[in-house]
Amino acid sequence: MTSGWKDQEAVDGWQDSLRQLEFSQVLERVAAECETPMGAEWVKALVPLVDAAELRHRVEAVAEAARWRSQEGASLAGAGAVRAWAEMARRGGRLTGEQLWQVARTVAVAAAARRRVSSGRYPVLARAWEAVPIPEGLNAQIAAQVNEFGEVRDEASPTLYGLRRQMAALAEEIDRVLAQIVHHPDWAPYLQEPVVTIRFGRRVVPVKADFRHQVRGIVHDQSGSGQTVFVEPMEVVTRQNQWTLLARREAEEVARILDALSQAVGEAAEALAAVEATLARLDGWLAIARYGSLTQSHLVRWDGEELVLWQARHPLLERPVPIDVRLSRDKRCLVITGPNTGGKTVALKTVGLLAAMARTGLMIPAREDSVLPPLSAIWADIGDEQSLQQNLSTFSSHLRRLIPLVNAAGPETLCLVDEIGAGTDPEEGQALAEAVIERLVARRAWTVVTTHFGRLKLLAYSHPGIENGRVTFDRETLAPTYHLVIGQPGSSEALHIAARLGLDPALVERARALLHPGQLKFEAALAELARVQARLSAQEQEWEARLQALAQREAELERARAEFSAWQERARAKAQAGWQRELEALRREFQTLAETVRTAQGKEQARALEALRALVRRAEAGPAEAPPAPARSAPIAGPLQPGDWVLAPGLAMPGQVREVLGRTATVEVGGVRLKLAVADLQRAAPPVEARRTATHGGLAKRSTLPPERDLRGMTVEEALAAVDKYLDDAVLAGLSQVRVIHGKGTGALRRAVAEALAHDRRVVRYRLGEAGEGGDGATVVYLAEPSEGA
């Protein structure tokens, strides 16, 4: 646990809270994105930070790592944990070739990483390498003597080179002699089969056991069945003895080389330890950025004056429902009510887990404009953990957590209590819960509690520091929706659920009759209040939407005004430049004609004078008028549909809409697909070739024909037939580019498709997909344009 804690109780409380929130599971998922083992260990050891400067440094490092990764594809793949090997070598141990190559690879990755972050664009990452000596000479030394498979190279020493040359020549000679033996007719009756194999480092031939004494040689082994013995023919014994002696000398030379390299690694042990530690942090920062990208998470402010989480999602749930939570400087306590299994605990855990992630420097799955306050501790009491060993009841186990939570509460603590006051007499539990909440509010602690107690729902109406919240519930299906509504209390819906699940209606009615009349009126009043608040919230959202629409329209008008002013300035500058060029041309022509008038005579002089008068008249006409302002296309009216032609700012040609998802449209322009905001698009006339296609009935087909064909799951024969039919339809529809999805697999389907496309006259060219197009699992096909008479 990091330094900066006031006492051990705070440390224990934070650790227990992180365990309840399952924080370690989040770290496991982040660690899975690491590329090095030491990076994964660094991530798993992360804890929330109390020191603001330390947290700020980590957040800045993660932000730079995310930028480095997105802009330059940063990677530390290939680096490994080498500190322990270096320490072993320092103590005189011999490293293997594989270990030495890993050391060299790690040094190379570190050197490349330091060079890439030292460009000035990543100052925080660059500072991480300050005072870290990277032994780059060690990398060159190892790479010159060991290859990527961990084998000592022939060129590692002249002695080794000579030994291996001799061994290779001798082995070739032995193989030649043995090949003659196994194919010689005199040996054929005695051999199980004409092959050469190896037993105990010696080349031998398989001889039938019955003929072991009929051949000259040394028996080295026999088969498990005893039917075959493996004999080294006498013709190669001397040669193999020579080869064995050479192999022993080779092993001694390899050991000498490995010892020398290991000594060099041991001398650099301290530097390698620093390199490994720096790579671990760098890999951890990159893994945080990579996990954030995968989960659509963001770095958020952690030093604000309110707790605001927009579209917050629990990071461990498969398909979490986003929730909005907002606590202000003066309203720091949220009381969440609602039915069982409705999502109260999930909402509480989401707040706690995201707060812990933010204090650790992780990206959190919430909107980027979310804000968290400074926190020095998180205290949690979640779930029912009875202790049989300590003879503690449910209520007692809650109290063991609640007591230190209340004692430690303060302006920089987040207190999370699930089912506050539960496990004892309801009346006493409600009173205790109310007293605890009042104490937490008085100490200005950030607080989230869940409860079924009715009297706690009233606290928000009598205390300005408390806010109500409820989880919504489908009364028809009895299914929770997991949505959190701030500002409204919820109902437990116990009697309604019991009736819908089939409990005897008479029992339900009897239970309802036993309820205090005031309780029924209270629940009815709460329901009516919830409905009124829902209507007000809907009206507020409607007005907010209108205001946003007006603001958007105002921005569009301002943008159009700016575009027109810019066009005016460009037109004026262009006209002025054109007039200057024309004036210069007139001046040169005038001088030429004047000289002709001066020197010519008769008719030639008359023609020159007439030309001079025409030039003067043209000059008096003045500069050409500026071109008219560009006509603006009509804004989008009505819903945008696939197949519509549109024009976007900054694009010189119209594009065709391929897909519309909410406020974003995928538009294909010149064979390239772009994701653009619908608000930025304007309807445009289709280009000439598209209108020609529409004349022949292709436009209707184009609007329905998908831009890709998926062949996965088909046999090669089925796939080729499908591609042929699809290309026919694509040509008729006037498509210039389509995509064929064949998957990666063994590559057989991809090769068959490529072979067919190579001989198809409808195809201009084709290529494998790029990133975002399916990679090697798809082929992009460019089609020939149909002729005018088609």
Side-chain angles (χ1 to χ4, degrees), residues 749-767:
L749 187 55
R750 182 188 68 222
R751 290 191 293 271
V753 169
E755 177 67 21
L757 295 176
H759 298 88
D760 197 315
R761 296 179 61 185
R762 297 167 293 188
V763 176
V764 175
R765 63 185 178 92
Y766 61 92
R767 60 174 173 80

Side-chain angles (χ1 to χ4, degrees), residues 460-481:
Y461 301 106
S462 60
H463 199 299
I466 301 175
E467 181 71 275
N468 269 324
R470 68 178 178 92
V471 289
T472 57
F473 174 77
D474 192 323
R475 290 175 59 86
E476 297 301 319
T477 64
L478 303 185
T481 65

Side-chain angles (χ1 to χ4, degrees), residues 95-102 142 146-147 149-152 258:
L95 301 184
T96 66
E98 290 84 355
Q99 291 169 337
L100 287 166
W101 177 258
Q102 183 63 72
I142 295 174
V146 178
N147 65 22
F149 305 108
E151 302 165 342
V152 177
L258 293 179

Side-chain angles (χ1 to χ4, degrees), residues 632-637 681-684:
R632 295 178 55 84
S633 303
I636 299 298
L681 301 179
Q682 296 173 332
R683 295 195 184 276

Side-chain angles (χ1 to χ4, degrees), residues 551-572:
Q552 182 177 349
R553 182 57 178 163
E554 184 178 0
E556 290 176 356
L557 290 173
E558 183 60 33
R559 187 165 57 248
R561 191 160 33 246
E563 289 177 359
F564 181 76
S565 297
W567 172 86
Q568 273 189 321
E569 182 61 26
R570 290 194 303 271
R572 186 194 64 78

Side-chain angles (χ1 to χ4, degrees), residues 476-779:
E476 297 301 319
T477 64
L478 303 185
T481 65
Y482 300 105
H483 288 290
L484 178 64
V485 179
I486 301 296
Q488 302 177 17
S491 173
S492 296
E493 302 281 358
L495 296 182
H496 176 77
I497 293 174
R500 290 298 305 271
L501 290 178
L503 186 65
D504 187 345
L507 291 177
V508 175
E509 287 304 316
R510 176 57 181 161
R512 200 182 305 276
L514 291 174
L515 286 175
H516 191 281
Q519 177 70 17
L520 294 175
K521 292 180 180 178
F522 172 69
E523 292 292 338
L526 285 181
E528 180 59 29
L529 180 61
R531 285 192 290 271
V532 171
Q533 288 179 323
R535 286 199 299 271
L536 290 175
S537 177
Q539 290 176 355
E540 184 180 1
Q541 291 177 2
E542 181 182 351
W543 282 108
E544 183 67 25
R546 291 185 179 183
L547 287 175
Q548 289 180 355
L550 287 173
Q552 182 177 349
R553 182 57 178 163
E554 184 178 0
E556 290 176 356
L557 290 173
E558 183 60 33
R559 187 165 57 248
R561 191 160 33 246
E563 289 177 359
F564 181 76
S565 297
W567 172 86
Q568 273 189 321
E569 182 61 26
R570 290 194 303 271
R572 186 194 64 78
K574 184 178 179 181
Q576 184 175 8
W579 173 239
Q580 289 292 342
R581 289 193 301 270
E582 186 176 350
L583 185 61
E584 185 62 30
L586 286 172
R587 184 178 294 111
R588 290 194 300 269
E589 189 176 352
F590 183 86
Q591 291 172 350
T592 301
L593 291 174
E595 181 64 20
T596 302
V597 170
R598 188 178 64 83
T599 59
Q601 295 181 355
K603 293 183 178 180
E604 289 187 6
Q605 188 180 50
R607 283 196 295 270
L609 283 171
E610 183 56 35
L612 189 59
R613 293 190 191 96
L615 182 63
V616 171
R617 287 194 298 271
R618 196 169 71 195
E620 290 174 347
E625 293 184 1
R632 295 178 55 84
S633 303
I636 299 298
L640 205 58
Q641 299 292 336
D644 289 349
W645 288 89
V646 294
L647 191 64
L651 297 180
M653 58 187 299
Q656 191 171 33
V657 177
R658 292 301 185 197
E659 184 181 30
V660 180
L661 290 176
R663 299 180 180 179
T664 303
T666 301
V667 180
E668 182 174 338
V669 183
V672 178
R673 294 197 173 192
L674 306 171
K675 289 189 179 296
L676 303 171
V678 172
D680 293 339
L681 301 179
Q682 296 173 332
R683 295 195 184 276
V688 176
E689 60 270 21
R691 292 197 295 270
R692 185 185 306 130
T693 303
T695 304
H696 294 285
L699 186 60
K701 193 167 191 69
R702 170 178 287 203
S703 64
T704 59
L705 185 69
E708 59 190 25
R709 183 68 167 94
D710 195 340
L711 309 178
R712 288 174 292 186
M714 298 184 185
T715 65
V716 171
E717 184 177 352
E718 293 170 344
L720 293 180
V723 168
D724 185 61
K725 174 65 168 59
Y726 180 62
L727 293 183
D728 271 346
D729 293 341
V731 170
L732 286 175
L735 296 182
S736 61
Q737 175 186 328
V738 294
R739 188 164 64 119
V740 177
I741 303 173
H742 40 64
K744 297 180 180 178
T746 63
L749 187 55
R750 182 188 68 222
R751 290 191 293 271
V753 169
E755 177 67 21
L757 295 176
H759 298 88
D760 197 315
R761 296 179 61 185
R762 297 167 293 188
V763 176
V764 175
R765 63 185 178 92
Y766 61 92
R767 60 174 173 80
L768 288 177
E770 298 176 352
E773 295 177 327
D776 293 349
T779 295

